[in-house]
């Protein structure tokens, strides 16, 4: 029997729609939304939904599970990459600011890595682009 990498290959990630609809994050759901943000294959509206899901997980994670998963997976660049790509859209910028705040709140390791990935510049850009929006 001959095995082909195209048949066996790495495990497929969770469907993006299933991941976004998760009320609480799993390792696989977090990986899926971060992969989507980094891929550049999202349209703006789906990117907003993805960032809203990520921000919601981080905001509702009273025991810091979502923050810990983000740190363990080292996916901070995905959040910043999404901000670079979609930050000119006001709804995305609002969701991204919330996600950054949720990731960093009482989890200094995430704050440190986000800063190293360039989040401060992206937050400043969002505030300049959306100066009239009180949520950004």
């Amino acid at each position: 029997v001959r095995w082909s990498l195209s048949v066996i290959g790495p495990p497929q990630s969770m469907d993006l729609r299933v991941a976004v609809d998760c009320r609480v994050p799993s390792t696989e759901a977090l990986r899926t939304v971060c992969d989507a943000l980094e891929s550049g294959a999202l349209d703006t509206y789906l990117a907003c939904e993805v960032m809203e899901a990520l921000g919601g997980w981080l905001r509702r994670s009273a025991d810091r599970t979502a923050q810990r998963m983000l740190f363990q997976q080292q996916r901070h660049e995905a959040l910043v990459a999404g901000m670079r790509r979609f930050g000119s859209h006001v709804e995305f910028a609002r969701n991204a600011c919330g996600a950054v705040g949720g990731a960093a709140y009482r989890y200094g390791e995430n704050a440190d890595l986000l800063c190293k990935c360039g989040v401060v510049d992206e937050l400043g850009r969002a505030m300049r682009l959306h100066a009239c929006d009180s949520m950004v």
Side-chain angles (χ1 to χ4, degrees):
V1 175
R2 299 183 89 192
W3 296 97
S4 167
L5 285 178
S6 62
V7 174
I8 298 174
Q12 295 299 312
S13 64
M14 176 184 280
D15 179 71
L16 182 58
R17 178 57 55 195
V18 172
V20 167
D21 289 341
C22 289
R23 177 124 174 90
V24 294
S26 66
T27 301
E28 189 176 7
L30 181 64
R31 183 180 318 111
T32 299
V33 299
C34 288
D35 287 348
L37 286 172
E38 285 182 322
S39 75
L42 299 176
D43 67 41
T44 304
Y45 299 102
L46 184 53
C48 288
E49 287 184 57
V50 167
M51 190 57 78
E52 184 177 15
L54 180 58
W57 295 338
L58 293 162
R59 183 181 62 253
R60 290 188 300 267
S61 185
D63 65 351
R64 315 265 186 287
T65 300
Q67 288 86 348
R68 192 174 314 107
M69 276 194 273
L70 183 67
F71 177 72
Q72 289 169 343
Q73 290 188 27
Q74 301 285 299
R75 299 309 301 266
H76 306 85
E77 184 59 44
L79 201 158
V80 176
M83 292 178 76
R84 287 186 184 117
R85 189 168 288 115
F86 300 105
S88 61
H89 189 277
V90 69
E91 182 181 353
F92 186 90
R94 288 175 184 162
N95 291 333
C97 288
V100 168
Y105 182 70
R106 294 190 179 180
Y107 212 95
E109 296 89 343
N110 282 335
D112 179 51
L113 291 173
L114 284 165
C115 288
K116 289 177 181 173
C117 291
V119 80
V120 175
D121 290 336
E122 292 308 311
L123 289 170
R125 184 173 80 98
M127 290 190 296
R128 283 191 305 279
L129 288 172
H130 309 291
C132 294
D133 186 272
S134 63
M135 299 286 290
V136 175

